[in-house]
Amino acid sequence: MRLREIAAGLGMTERSVYGIVTDLTAAGYVLKHRDGRRNRYEIQAHLPLPEPGSRAPAIGEVLAVLLGTGTGQHLPD
């Protein structure tokens, strides 16, 4: 999925979505790979969300709930 499509689906600008993805990449939640002229992003679904003092759910668990995919073990590209 392209950032443009994500932005349209969320009702945000492409620049805003790019900023969020850049922040997530800097924090280590997303890995960025160059594929020719395009960038590919890989979500690090096993990483916990930063929540001090409690067992934080992994990013994959949160995405699974949002996407309705169950356990978050196999997230769509």
Side-chain angles (χ1 to χ4, degrees), residues 1 5 7 28-29 31-32 34 36 47 50 55 62 66 70 75:
M1 180 174 273
E5 295 164 347
Y29 290 106
L31 296 179
K32 180 178 173 180
R34 192 76 176 159
L47 294 177
R55 185 214 167 266
V62 174
L66 294 174
L75 298 174

Side-chain angles (χ1 to χ4, degrees), residues 4-66:
R4 180 179 305 129
E5 295 164 347
I6 294 170
L10 295 172
M12 298 174 69
T13 65
E14 189 173 346
R15 183 179 292 268
S16 294
V17 171
Y18 178 78
I20 293 168
V21 171
T22 299
D23 291 345
L24 290 171
T25 301
Y29 290 106
V30 174
L31 296 179
K32 180 178 173 180
H33 306 281
R34 192 76 176 159
D35 184 13
R37 292 177 23 177
R38 292 196 171 135
N39 292 320
R40 301 240 180 234
Y41 300 93
E42 180 182 347
I43 298 168
Q44 298 300 293
H46 65 284
L47 294 177
L49 291 171
E51 188 174 314
S54 69
R55 185 214 167 266
I59 292 265
E61 293 172 308
V62 174
L63 289 174
V65 170
L66 294 174

